[in-house]
Amino acid sequence: MLAPIWLVVGILAASVAVALLTRRWALPSSVVLVLVGLAVALVVPSLGSPISPPIQPDLLLAIVLPGLVFEAAFRTDVAVLRPSAAWIVLLGIPGVLVVAVVVAVILAVATGLSAGEAFVVGAMVAATDPAAVLAAFRRLPVPARLATTVEMESLVNDGTGIALFALALGLLSGGGSAGSATLDFVLIVLGSGVIGAAAGFAAGRLVRIVDDHLVELTITIVLAYGTYLLAAALGGSGVIATLVAASIFGAGARRSLTERTRETIDDVWELVAFLLTAGVFLLVGVSIAPGTLVHAAGPIAAGILAVLIARGIVVYGLLGGAARLAAARRPEVAMPIGWLHVLFWAGLRGAVSVALALSLPADLPNRELLQGITFGIVLFTLLVQGTTIGWVVRAAGVSEPADPG
């Protein structure tokens, strides 16, 4: 009966312990938390079962994503965001589609998976994860515009990836055509944006007539989680809705908030983001069944290669090409080559991909193989890319905090 409370207390205790220990280690705390979770899964195999995860995937996403998305979007400086807004949209929507398709093609050719199964895996790993990206970048001295681009990309493409996964799963089960799925995808993105815009505008108007910092803080909590739940209940993307709501609310309401209220909101949401990030990495480790990694070793290697190739096409081809064309007329939006290197290696996957894999229908053919490929890709990005992103930042020559744009 008290098991959920023990789980929360255990996550909090582990988070504090790892945060204290990693001050002296070179490893990021996110990586250590994943390793701790994997160790727990090995010691207590029932916790790491993909059939019975410690928390239901939908509930995990509903707890973690609104908090992380709201905190990151609310604190984002619009002036810093504006020059990179087009690049963020490019990475977050068409970029996700390109990654899903490229991964699907490579997996179908290399592993013998059907086109539908390969596309489901592509959709699960197409989006970078906000928890993983935020955990990695908030400890790196990178230009503000680059950090904002990476962080906001992980928020935008997260919503795109979840919507794409639902459509891919529907196509695999024979529900509709590619044309209808594309139309549904567009409607989901646009509809979710409208819901978020309306909620953010309404909350911004509301805080202007309130003069109580605790009530205003409560409004932000209702806005973050209420918008997510409302959009999801209406068949939209909760992430996109919350992202738009938080951006509009932050841009319009920050000026009308008192200094005490701003400090309260920033401090509370910073704590929420810290706890959610730590908890989600522990749960990622616990949820990954080590046995599925062993059985899917070959396809995992193909999947890792596919993700890296797809990320390279999106960053260097799609984004790099568009940036060069735009910079000819607007030098302020230039994307230095060093930034592209960092963006390429910053494509970390995490809790979202794991949660989507765990949510696959129990009767889906090759379910365990699809999960194993996804889990292996997630671990590679966290344990390899997550531990070396600092080296890439330094090697790319972008570790100075000054923004060249």
Side-chain angles (χ1 to χ4, degrees):
M1 186 175 181
L2 297 179
I5 298 178
W6 277 109
L7 176 63
V8 172
V9 173
I11 289 174
L12 294 178
S15 303
V16 172
V18 170
L20 293 175
L21 291 173
T22 51
R23 288 183 177 181
R24 300 183 179 181
W25 297 353
L27 286 176
S29 60
S30 56
V31 172
V32 178
L33 287 165
V34 171
L35 294 175
V36 170
L38 285 171
V40 171
L42 288 171
V43 174
V44 189
S46 61
L47 285 179
S49 169
I51 305 300
S52 303
I55 183 171
Q56 291 302 308
D58 290 345
L59 181 58
L60 172 62
L61 295 179
I63 292 174
V64 172
L65 291 181
L68 291 178
V69 169
F70 183 89
E71 190 270 342
F74 178 75
R75 69 174 177 79
T76 298
D77 188 340
V78 176
V80 176
L81 173 65
R82 190 176 294 113
S84 299
W87 309 145
I88 293 168
V89 173
L90 191 66
L91 290 170
I93 300 180
V96 172
L97 297 175
V98 171
V99 170
V101 171
V102 172
V103 170
V105 171
I106 294 176
L107 283 179
V109 172
T111 67
L113 289 174
S114 70
E117 291 171 338
F119 188 56
V120 168
V121 176
M124 289 191 291
V125 301
T128 58
D129 185 78
V133 171
L134 294 175
F137 258 74
R138 289 187 180 178
R139 60 186 177 84
L140 296 175
V142 297
R145 206 179 106 209
L146 174 59
T148 298
T149 300
V150 174
E151 293 176 3
M152 292 302 290
E153 178 211 353
S154 72
L155 303 181
V156 175
N157 70 15
D158 194 54
T160 308
I162 293 174
L164 186 62
F165 168 75
L167 298 176
L169 202 57
L171 289 174
L172 181 61
S173 61
S177 64
S180 64
T182 302
L183 179 60
D184 289 343
F185 176 79
V186 173
L187 292 177
I188 287 173
V189 172
L190 294 178
S192 302
V194 171
I195 293 172
F201 178 79
R205 299 288 293 182
L206 183 59
V207 295
R208 294 179 183 179
I209 61 175
V210 176
D211 189 21
D212 186 316
H213 67 285
L214 294 178
V215 175
E216 291 169 310
L217 173 61
T218 304
I219 290 173
T220 65
I221 297 173
V222 174
L223 177 63
Y225 285 90
T227 305
Y228 182 97
L229 295 174
L230 176 61
L234 295 176
S237 169
V239 175
I240 293 176
T242 301
L243 173 62
V244 174
S247 300
I248 290 179
F249 176 80
R254 263 193 177 275
R255 294 187 297 271
S256 62
L257 298 174
T258 65
E259 182 177 353
R260 181 184 183 187
T261 299
R262 287 195 299 271
E263 291 177 353
T264 300
I265 292 175
D266 288 338
D267 290 344
V268 170
W269 278 106
E270 184 178 6
L271 173 63
V272 169
F274 168 76
L275 297 178
L276 290 177
T277 301
V280 79
F281 282 123
L282 274 175
L283 291 174
V284 164
V286 170
S287 299
I288 294 178
T292 62
L293 302 177
V294 176
H295 295 150
I300 287 173
I304 291 171
L305 180 62
V307 167
L308 292 176
I309 291 174
R311 182 70 177 175
I313 291 173
V314 169
V315 171
Y316 294 108
L318 186 63
L319 176 62
R324 283 192 294 273
L325 291 175
R329 291 185 296 178
R330 297 180 59 198
E332 72 275 9
V333 300
M335 185 69 67
I337 186 64
W339 288 23
L340 295 178
H341 297 331
V342 173
L343 282 165
F344 167 74
W345 203 242
L348 307 180
R349 274 69 179 175
V352 173
S353 296
V354 170
L356 294 178
L358 292 173
S359 69
L360 290 172
D363 60 350
L364 185 70
N366 288 327
R367 179 178 189 263
E368 187 170 341
L369 175 59
L370 303 184
Q371 289 180 328
I373 297 172
T374 303
F375 295 161
I377 292 171
V378 168
L379 285 181
F380 174 84
T381 63
L382 291 178
L383 302 184
V384 177
Q385 293 177 247
T387 57
T388 57
I389 185 62
W391 179 86
V392 172
V393 167
R394 292 188 294 273
V398 299
S399 57
E400 292 296 326
D403 190 334

